[in-house]
């Protein structure tokens, strides 16, 4: 009797451990805690400073990953189209600069200038924001919608269905979700698999 | 005398053909890739997904090459699939030459990202990714790089048929 209870306990612990590993981070509908990160212009930016936005297009991205680079123009386009409609882009780089020297803060500053980024490109130095969100890849999108004084998660995943060829995209996941939210509706697709390089976690 | 001369000319022209050609990297579509994965074999299939720009991928390839050489007589099929964008084919060829990458070499040519989910629903396309398929079709996968030659060896050797 004792042995089987012990075994059951052990099994549940392992199972719970596995569950927590795979399900940390925000889920659809979760409220997003405020965060403050340094932007490439040296200023600190908080989520709570976006008092008038209808939502935020949070995108975990980086300088070096070819999947992320393939989306740069599309991210600029999202900012161009939707920022004025109340949905600004906020880009976050959570990569460990030791593992990925191309993603240091200084490199972020020069990269942002070189690519003409028109949105904040925030440095998640201790990777706490990536962990809070459950970001795993670059790029990885978390579309937030206004919920009273804060934001809740409305869509998680890829920007669209074709990394390599912007002209051959058939499903614009983020845009479709955003337009649904703008109408006060729930997106038809709330989650897709984010395709990209793994976030480089600190050792 | 004329015949000898003609023979010499023939040999001179044929000489370049005797150099071993650079390893060929063939484009494959998702149906073709699935065909390779599903094909019945009495060997264990090692399918390593990599890219020319991926440092951890490039770092572990020497382990694969060493093991391929050590296991010349074992029932293992060595397949390498590059996920580089189609337009970067030359980068792939360069890297193959640099690494002396040897085996069945492919580069994905597919429209969109959906093929990734079709290979493995648990895979997000992050590389390196190594898929092991046993003769009976059973699959196991490693979703990150191998730290050493012995890690790679351990991963594969219990699956090799006698």
């Amino acid at each position: 009797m004792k042995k089987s209870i012990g075994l059951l306990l052990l099994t549940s612990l392992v199972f719970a451990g596995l569950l927590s590993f795979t399900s940390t981070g925000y889920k659809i509908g979760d409220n997003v805690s405020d965060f403050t990160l340094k932007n490439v212009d040296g200023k600190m930016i908080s989520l709570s400073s976006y008092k008038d936005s209808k939502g935020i297009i949070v995108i975990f991205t980086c300088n070096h990953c070819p999947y992320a680079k393939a989306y740069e123009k599309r991210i600029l386009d999202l900012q161009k189209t939707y920022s004025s409609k109340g949905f600004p882009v906020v880009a976050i780089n959570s990569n460990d600069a030791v593992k990925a020297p191309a993603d240091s803060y200084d490199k972020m500053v020069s990269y942002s200038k070189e690519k003409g980024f028109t949105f904040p490109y925030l440095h998640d130095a201790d990777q706490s924001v990536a962990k809070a969100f459950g970001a795993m890849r670059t790029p990885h999108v978390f579309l937030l919608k206004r919920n009273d004084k804060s934001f809740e998660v409305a869509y998680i995943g890829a920007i669209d269905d074709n990394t390599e060829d912007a002209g051959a995209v058939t499903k614009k996941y983020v845009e479709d979700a955003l337009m649904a939210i703008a109408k006060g509706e729930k997106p038809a697709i709330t989650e897709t698999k984010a395709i990209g390089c793994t976030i480089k976690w600190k050792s | 005398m004329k015949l000898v001369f003609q023979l010499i000319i023939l040999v001179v022209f044929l000489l370049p053909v005797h150099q071993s050609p650079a390893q060929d990297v063939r484009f494959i579509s998702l149906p073709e890739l699935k065909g390779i994965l599903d094909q019945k074999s009495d060997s264990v299939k090692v399918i390593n997904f990599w890219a020319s720009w991926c440092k951890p991928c490039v770092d572990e390839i020497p382990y694969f090459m060493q093991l391929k050489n050590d296991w010349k007589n074992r029932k293992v099929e060595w397949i390498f699939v590059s996920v580089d964008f189609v337009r970067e084919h030359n980068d792939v060829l360069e890297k193959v030459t640099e690494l002396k990458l040897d085996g069945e070499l492919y580069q994905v040519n597919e429209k969109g990202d959906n093929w990734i989910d079709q290979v493995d629903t648990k895979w997000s396309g992050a590389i390196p990714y190594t898929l092991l398929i046993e003769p009976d079709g059973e699959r196991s996968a490693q979703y990150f790089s191998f730290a050493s030659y012995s890690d790679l060896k351990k991963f594969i050797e219990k699956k090799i048929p006698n």
Side-chain angles (χ1 to χ4, degrees):
Chain A
M1 181 66 180
K2 250 192 189 166
K3 204 174 181 183
S4 51
I5 287 177
L7 190 62
L8 184 66
L9 226 92
L10 183 66
T11 315
S12 342
L13 273 171
V14 171
F15 187 63
L18 282 172
L19 263 181
S20 64
F21 177 74
T22 54
S23 62
T24 48
Y26 295 128
K27 297 198 189 20
I28 301 299
D30 281 355
N31 230 59
V32 179
S33 302
D34 195 18
F35 59 81
T36 304
L37 296 175
K38 186 156 93 166
N39 193 10
V40 285
D41 65 358
K43 301 200 174 87
M44 301 305 285
I45 291 194
S46 302
L47 188 64
S48 53
S49 59
Y50 288 88
K51 295 195 191 307
D52 301 318
S53 304
K54 296 198 179 97
I56 312 267
I57 310 172
V58 174
I59 307 181
F60 289 86
T61 185
C62 72
N63 293 349
H64 82 278
C65 170
Y67 296 88
K69 285 153 95 79
Y71 273 105
E72 271 152 16
K73 176 153 191 318
R74 282 174 268 186
I75 293 172
L76 281 160
D77 288 344
L78 281 171
Q79 172 74 346
K80 198 171 178 187
T81 310
Y82 295 106
S83 180
S84 57
K85 295 188 168 70
F87 290 87
V89 166
V90 172
I92 300 175
N93 189 335
S94 304
N95 277 348
D96 172 35
V98 172
K99 289 218 173 105
D103 285 312
S104 69
Y105 177 73
D106 289 342
K107 291 264 160 65
M108 282 173 62
V109 173
S110 50
Y111 196 77
S112 163
K113 276 201 192 81
E114 181 194 323
K115 297 288 171 174
F117 282 179
T118 52
F119 42 81
Y121 190 22
L122 310 180
H123 189 217
D124 182 19
D126 64 1
Q127 307 185 310
S128 58
V129 178
K131 287 181 190 148
F133 273 76
M136 303 289 288
R137 321 252 160 253
T138 54
H140 198 162
V141 178
F142 291 78
L143 177 63
L144 312 185
K145 75 172 196 208
R146 169 67 59 191
N147 181 5
D148 195 26
K149 287 200 171 41
S150 66
F151 296 97
E152 68 177 64
V153 181
Y155 167 83
I156 300 172
I159 291 170
D160 57 42
D161 65 352
N162 198 325
T163 304
E164 186 170 350
D165 188 353
V169 165
T170 65
K171 293 197 185 71
K172 297 185 175 179
Y173 300 124
V174 171
E175 284 188 75
D176 289 347
L178 192 155
M179 290 198 276
I181 294 165
K183 281 190 269 178
E185 291 163 10
K186 190 176 176 194
I189 298 173
T190 55
E191 277 191 82
T192 58
K193 193 191 279 188
I195 305 292
C197 311
T198 53
I199 285 184
K200 304 294 172 263
W201 302 107
K202 290 186 201 296
S203 296
Chain B
M1 190 52 195
K2 201 174 178 186
L3 185 65
V4 172
F5 185 63
Q6 283 172 338
L7 278 169
I8 291 170
I9 301 286
L10 192 65
V11 169
V12 167
F13 273 101
L14 286 173
L15 265 171
V17 177
H18 285 280
Q19 289 167 18
S20 46
Q23 269 279 269
D24 198 23
V25 179
R26 198 162 71 76
F27 284 117
I28 39 158
S29 63
L30 176 63
E32 288 172 308
L33 178 57
K34 276 182 150 173
I36 290 165
L37 301 182
D38 295 338
Q39 182 158 65
K40 295 244 177 294
S41 171
D42 60 359
S43 298
V44 70
K45 285 186 282 218
V46 176
I47 304 118
N48 178 257
F49 289 82
W50 70 291
S52 65
W53 48 262
C54 162
K55 191 171 184 302
C57 305
V58 165
D59 287 349
E60 70 173 9
I61 279 172
Y63 307 145
F64 284 81
M65 292 298 94
Q66 193 186 336
L67 201 51
K68 180 175 190 285
N69 189 56
D70 293 348
W71 283 354
K72 261 194 283 275
N73 302 316
R74 308 288 293 273
K75 291 202 168 110
V76 185
E77 252 186 79
W78 302 90
I79 302 163
F80 296 88
V81 181
S82 155
V83 305
D84 283 81
F85 295 155
V86 167
R87 58 181 179 260
E88 314 287 2
H89 188 66
N90 281 330
D91 290 350
V92 178
L93 295 176
E94 268 178 35
K95 214 34 127 177
V96 164
T97 303
E98 184 190 315
L99 295 169
K100 296 191 181 50
L101 184 57
D102 184 46
E104 292 168 51
L105 308 182
Y106 302 101
Q107 185 176 352
V108 177
N109 182 4
E110 260 298 315
K111 299 267 165 283
D113 303 321
N114 172 60
W115 71 269
I116 292 165
D117 204 51
Q118 296 287 308
V119 168
D120 180 349
T121 53
K122 293 197 213 78
W123 185 39
S124 69
I127 45 176
Y129 163 71
T130 303
L131 184 56
L132 212 64
I133 306 179
E134 297 170 61
D136 66 359
E138 182 156 339
R139 297 186 180 196
S140 37
Q142 172 127 330
Y143 296 88
F144 47 90
S145 59
F146 292 94
S148 64
Y149 167 87
S150 62
D151 277 6
L152 176 63
K153 188 171 176 200
K154 255 183 248 155
F155 180 67
I156 305 174
E157 74 186 335
K158 33 192 158 117
K159 316 276 183 180
I160 303 178
N162 296 317

